[in-house]
Amino acid sequence: METIYALATARGRAGVSVIRISGPLAHDTAFLLTGRALPKPRQAALRRILHKGELLDEGLLLLFGADASFTGEDVVELQLHGSVAVVSAVLRALSEMPGLRMAEAGEFTRRALENGRLDLSQVEGLADLIDAETEEQRRQAQRVLSGYVGKTVEGWRQNMLRAAALLEATIDFVDEDVPVDVTPEVSGLLSRMLVEMRAQVAGSAMAERIRDGFEVAIIGAPNVGKSTLLNALAGRDAAITSEIAGTTRDVIEVRMELAGLPVTLLDTAGIRDTADSVEAIGISRAIERAQQADLRLVILDDAADDIPVALKDGDIVVLGKADIYPDRPHRQISGRTGLGMDMLVRDIGQILSQRSAGASGLIRERHRIAVSQAIEALELAQAEVKLGADRIELAAEHIRQAMRALDVLIGRIGVEDVLGEIFSSFCIGK
């Protein structure tokens, strides 16, 4: 196993920069760089960093043994002054030492996976944590990184092993009198697992929404204040506003955080009958995106106006331009004065928060597919058990198929084709 090194903090000027070294030569490298006895593992020590007799910097040295490191290997961390020149000098010194090489993207985390420090779902949780922009994204990523998915899968796997063992015992002793009918226990185990798995799959869509973001479409006729509202929510001029109908021709997207959730607001073309072919395309796109969005915010000129799209549960309907027509009895908003904006933002946040409360630990499509395959296999096993003793062997095989699907989920088998994609999103020092 080669020893790797990399800058673990962001490039550029900083208060402190951290260089990480991992592998069998990590501790020897620390001794060569400092020329002094090494501190005990996990105890920081101030050391002068030297190379070929030249002082490169003075900083903190931290050592970790293979049994207590992130990668599962001997690890060294150098906490240096955050100078571009200092970091470059130390990295250059490391490059000249035999047996060391620069780490590839995500290689530290990949070694943690290979050495059993993390399972594949935890690796994905770590990637999501690094990319997290909102509070709910952070919480969800932390939950997965803590091992929630792996622990859940391990619980299912133990139940499957128990069910398979009971069935295989029946097969092994087919010519003898088996004193206990195992069918009730096996059926109970399968039923409980199926209930739990289906709940996880049902919540996977919301988990992906927290990870990738919700979409809220602002829709209505031309000149009802859609673009003005978008600009007010975004805090900048993201959309052109004009008294000329049909100004917005395409869908304008603004990403922001609401109630700790990632939300993309969609300003759409004003919906009306038009002979303008370009505007008609924009209106068609507006209706399509509005139908696909998680939530629709409909702005009307008058309470008697027709609602231009089919509403779904939770959609919000308001009257626009409350700054011009302040005395209408219906709920109103104004992007110019801010009237009704606080309540609108609160309501959108509450609706999306209520929906996200049902999110499961399956944060990626790969997770959902793996658990769905396990469900399908267990349903077949359940059906075989009900058909009687002569179908027990088929039931046991279906249970083994379910276990293989879950093993793929956490990275025990058959995941080489997804590793490249996962680790390509990591920085070099992670």
Side-chain angles (χ1 to χ4, degrees):
M1 178 69 72
E2 296 175 296
T3 298
I4 57 174
Y5 65 90
L7 176 65
T9 47
R11 293 189 176 277
R13 183 180 176 186
V16 175
S17 292
V18 177
I19 291 177
R20 178 183 288 170
I21 309 167
S22 180
L25 299 179
H27 291 182
D28 291 342
T29 300
F31 176 77
L32 291 173
L33 285 173
T34 61
R36 291 179 56 184
L38 300 178
K40 293 181 180 179
R42 305 176 74 176
Q43 291 186 7
L46 184 65
R47 290 288 189 271
R48 287 155 55 94
I49 311 301
L50 306 163
H51 183 57
K52 296 180 179 178
E54 180 184 359
L55 176 64
L56 303 181
D57 194 25
E58 186 173 32
L60 291 179
L61 173 66
L62 267 171
L63 272 64
F64 300 89
D67 60 338
S69 75
F70 172 72
T71 61
E73 303 171 341
D74 287 343
V75 169
V76 168
E77 287 191 359
L78 300 172
Q79 298 184 12
L80 309 170
H81 292 98
S83 157
V84 173
V86 166
V87 170
S88 296
V90 175
L91 290 176
R92 186 166 54 251
L94 292 171
S95 71
E96 295 174 4
M97 294 183 177
L100 274 66
R101 67 166 175 82
M102 178 74 80
E104 298 174 358
E107 190 167 5
F108 288 94
T109 305
R110 182 160 188 159
R111 291 192 176 194
L113 173 67
E114 292 170 347
N115 292 324
R117 304 295 290 182
L118 299 173
D119 65 39
L120 188 56
S121 66
Q122 287 176 291
V123 169
E124 291 166 320
L126 177 57
D128 286 352
L129 182 61
I130 293 170
D131 291 337
E133 298 175 334
T134 72
E135 181 63 12
E136 288 304 317
Q137 286 177 326
R138 180 194 65 78
R139 288 177 179 173
Q140 178 169 274
Q142 284 282 15
R143 183 186 185 200
V144 177
L145 178 57
S146 70
Y148 170 81
V149 175
K151 292 171 186 174
T152 302
V153 166
E154 186 57 30
W156 292 337
R157 199 171 187 279
Q158 291 303 315
N159 285 334
M160 289 181 197
L161 286 171
R162 170 68 179 169
L166 289 170
L167 294 176
E168 287 165 0
T170 303
I171 297 169
D172 291 341
F173 297 102
V174 67
D175 295 328
E176 303 179 23
D177 292 330
V178 180
V180 179
D181 180 8
V182 302
T183 301
E185 183 177 354
V186 170
S187 296
L189 287 169
L190 295 179
S191 295
R192 287 193 294 274
M193 284 187 288
L194 284 170
V195 168
E196 293 174 7
M197 288 180 178
R198 287 167 183 154
Q200 288 287 335
V201 169
S204 64
M206 275 305 122
E208 285 195 67
R209 276 287 183 257
I210 293 174
R211 178 174 174 265
D212 298 331
F214 292 86
E215 286 193 347
V216 176
I218 305 173
I219 55 178
N223 280 341
V224 294
K226 300 186 300 299
S227 297
T228 301
L229 175 62
L230 177 77
N231 290 341
L233 290 170
R236 60 185 176 88
D237 290 338
I240 298 173
T241 59
S242 169
E243 296 301 322
I244 301 172
T247 300
T248 301
R249 296 296 182 97
D250 208 346
V251 178
I252 298 172
E253 302 184 6
V254 173
R255 192 171 176 88
M256 61 189 299
E257 178 179 349
L258 290 177
L261 296 165
V263 176
T264 298
L265 297 172
L266 309 175
D267 179 24
T268 60
I271 300 175
R272 64 171 180 171
D273 293 329
T274 179
D276 186 324
S277 60
V278 176
E279 185 182 358
I281 293 173
I283 292 171
S284 176
R285 289 180 179 177
I287 294 172
E288 182 180 357
R289 288 298 295 275
Q291 291 171 338
Q292 294 172 352
D294 300 287
L295 185 67
R296 281 143 294 280
L297 170 58
V298 181
I299 305 179
L300 302 177
D301 256 333
D302 187 272
D305 290 347
D306 292 334
I307 295 175
V309 295
L311 296 182
K312 300 180 182 179
D313 185 40
D315 288 347
I316 300 172
V317 180
V318 297
L319 301 182
K321 296 187 176 181
D323 52 305
I324 300 176
Y325 311 107
D327 299 325
R328 294 174 295 183
H330 299 279
R331 181 175 180 179
Q332 300 186 82
I333 57 168
S334 169
R336 293 190 185 280
T337 66
L339 178 67
M341 293 280 289
D342 289 345
M343 183 179 293
L344 177 64
V345 169
R346 184 200 66 193
D347 289 350
I348 293 173
Q350 285 182 347
I351 292 167
L352 297 182
S353 293
Q354 288 169 2
R355 294 181 184 180
S356 65
S360 72
L362 309 182
I363 60 174
R364 294 178 182 242
E365 178 67 5
R366 187 183 71 81
H367 301 174
R368 187 195 65 78
I369 291 173
V371 176
S372 296
Q373 289 173 342
I375 289 173
E376 183 178 350
L378 291 185
E379 288 174 339
L380 292 172
Q382 194 175 51
E384 297 293 354
V385 169
K386 290 178 181 178
L387 289 175
D390 58 340
R391 312 285 290 190
I392 291 300
E393 192 167 353
L394 289 173
E397 176 56 29
H398 289 310
I399 292 174
R400 285 192 290 270
Q401 289 175 355
M403 284 192 286
R404 285 193 288 272
L406 296 183
D407 283 345
V408 169
L409 193 161
I410 58 175
R412 284 182 176 169
I413 59 171
V415 294
E416 283 300 319
D417 56 334
V418 302
L419 293 183
E421 179 182 350
I422 291 171
F423 289 116
S424 66
S425 67
F426 281 78
C427 59
I428 297 294
K430 200 64 180 177

